[in-house]
Structure formats: structure tokens, C-alpha cells
Amino acid sequence: MRVRKFAFAVLAACAALTLSACQDDGSGTAQGAPAAAPTTATGASPGGGPASGGQASTGPASGAPGKGGTSPTAAPTGPAGGGQSTKCKTSDLTITAADRTITGDAENTVVVELKNHSGKDCTLSGYAGVDLKTSAGTLSAKRSGEPVVTGVVKTGKSTYFGISYPANTSGGSGVRITGLVVTPPDETHPVTLPWPGAGSLPVTDGSGSPVKIGPMGSAGQGE
């Protein structure tokens, strides 16, 4: 009986010694416990470069600004300078007028040519200003009301518009025409030309101008 009690006491002492050896040694970390895992991002080495065989490091993407840099500017997609022609000025144009009356027509016709000699393309849109110098004073033409279309007049090329007016069939002298004044659209500088058409207009009752004009491009060279 005493032998059994002694053996039990020896076993208990050994167990106590073993447990003491496994306890915290004061360092705060249990012996044999695994250390905390490092906080390095997945796929990147501690030095910041890509891990061998892993994913690339998370630096700036291609085209994105780097440290201290700026974003690249996208190249313009439209044509340089907007690709638009400037408006034709009076100084860009050689302006002439010619009689284009066709026998049998109810009205007489003068066609005005505007030729671009500027060395660059320009645009003409709308109605010109047209005044006839007459023995009774200045007579301003009325617009025909035809639709306006913007047209590019290439350098060395021309555009045309027509002036229509009634023939003087009264048998009298009528109103004598002495000159033609043309001002291109959106311009303030006129050009004075010799009048190429019939020499006179019939006398009217003053209810309105008998002279009408079309917009730019409304007449052709042969009209």
C-alpha cells in the first residue's frame, strides 16, 4: 500500500515539473507557438518589388501619373484649328457684274460674280447688299426670299448671284441707271461697279423697289 502511494506521489511530481516547463517563461510568448505572419501585400516582396512568380506590384498603371508627375494630355481628335473656313471679306474678292438677260424673259437679269483671290478658302452665306445709283437717287434691291445656303468659295473660284429688274417698255426715258454698288454679306465695305444692264427702269408709283436679288450661289455663270 505504501509502495502505491509513493509511486503516485512520484508521478504527480513529474507531471507538475512537466507542466511548469511548458508555462510562459515571462517573455509573453508561449514556447513553440508560431510567430505572427508578416503584413507584406500578396504577390509583393518585402522590398516592394514583385515576388518571383507572383503578381506584379501595385505601381501606377500605364498612362497613369507617377509620383510627382502629371496625367498625359490626350491628343485632339478634331481637325487642327477647327477645320472651318473664315468668312470672305471684301478685300478677298474680285467683284464684277455682267448682263445675262435672256430674250423673251419677263424680267432683265444682271449676274454678279465674286471671285476669291485671297489665296485661302473662305465662306459666303446670305444676301449681298445691292444698291442701284439712278437719276432719281439710290435704289436698294429687295431680297427674293430664296433659302440661304452657306458655301465655301475655294481660292481662285467664284460664286454668283442674280439681280432681276423690269424692262422699261413704257416708251419714255424712265429712271436712268448710272452705277451698281455691291456689299458682300456680313461686310461693311462696298464696291462700286459700272452698270452692265439696260440703261433705265420704268417709273414706278413708289410702292416698293422693282429690283430683286437672290442669295449667294443662286445664279450660275451662264445665267
Side-chain angles (χ1 to χ4, degrees):
M1 188 69 174
R2 290 182 61 186
V3 175
R4 288 184 178 181
K5 289 182 178 181
F6 179 77
F8 180 79
V10 172
L11 291 173
C14 289
L17 289 173
T18 302
L19 180 62
S20 176
C22 296
Q23 290 299 318
D24 189 354
D25 60 0
S27 64
T29 303
Q31 293 183 3
T39 57
T40 306
T42 302
S45 66
S52 176
Q55 298 177 354
S57 62
T58 56
S62 176
K67 184 177 180 180
T70 56
S71 299
T73 303
T77 56
Q84 296 181 350
S85 300
T86 57
K87 292 182 179 180
C88 300
K89 298 180 179 180
T90 303
S91 58
D92 297 330
L93 304 168
T94 300
I95 303 175
T96 56
D99 184 15
R100 292 289 183 266
T101 299
I102 298 175
T103 303
D105 282 356
E107 293 185 318
N108 294 341
T109 302
V110 165
V111 170
V112 177
E113 176 183 2
L114 300 93
K115 184 175 182 178
N116 178 8
H117 63 244
S118 67
K120 61 183 183 300
D121 297 351
C122 60
T123 61
L124 277 174
S125 174
Y127 288 82
V130 171
D131 296 313
L132 270 61
K133 291 183 175 183
T134 74
S135 56
T138 299
L139 178 65
S140 296
K142 293 176 62 176
R143 297 179 177 183
S144 65
E146 296 174 65
V148 171
V149 178
T150 299
V152 175
V153 185
K154 295 187 177 297
T155 182
K157 301 298 182 181
S158 301
T159 188
Y160 306 83
F161 72 89
I163 303 172
S164 61
Y165 61 99
N168 181 15
T169 58
S170 64
S173 60
V175 178
R176 186 166 56 89
I177 304 173
T178 59
L180 170 64
V181 181
V182 177
T183 306
D186 302 316
E187 264 292 307
T188 57
H189 298 88
V191 172
T192 300
L193 306 171
W195 174 249
S200 64
L201 294 169
V203 177
T204 64
D205 57 7
S207 60
S209 174
V211 181
K212 294 182 180 180
I213 59 170
M216 292 294 121
S218 60
Q221 186 174 2
E223 293 184 35

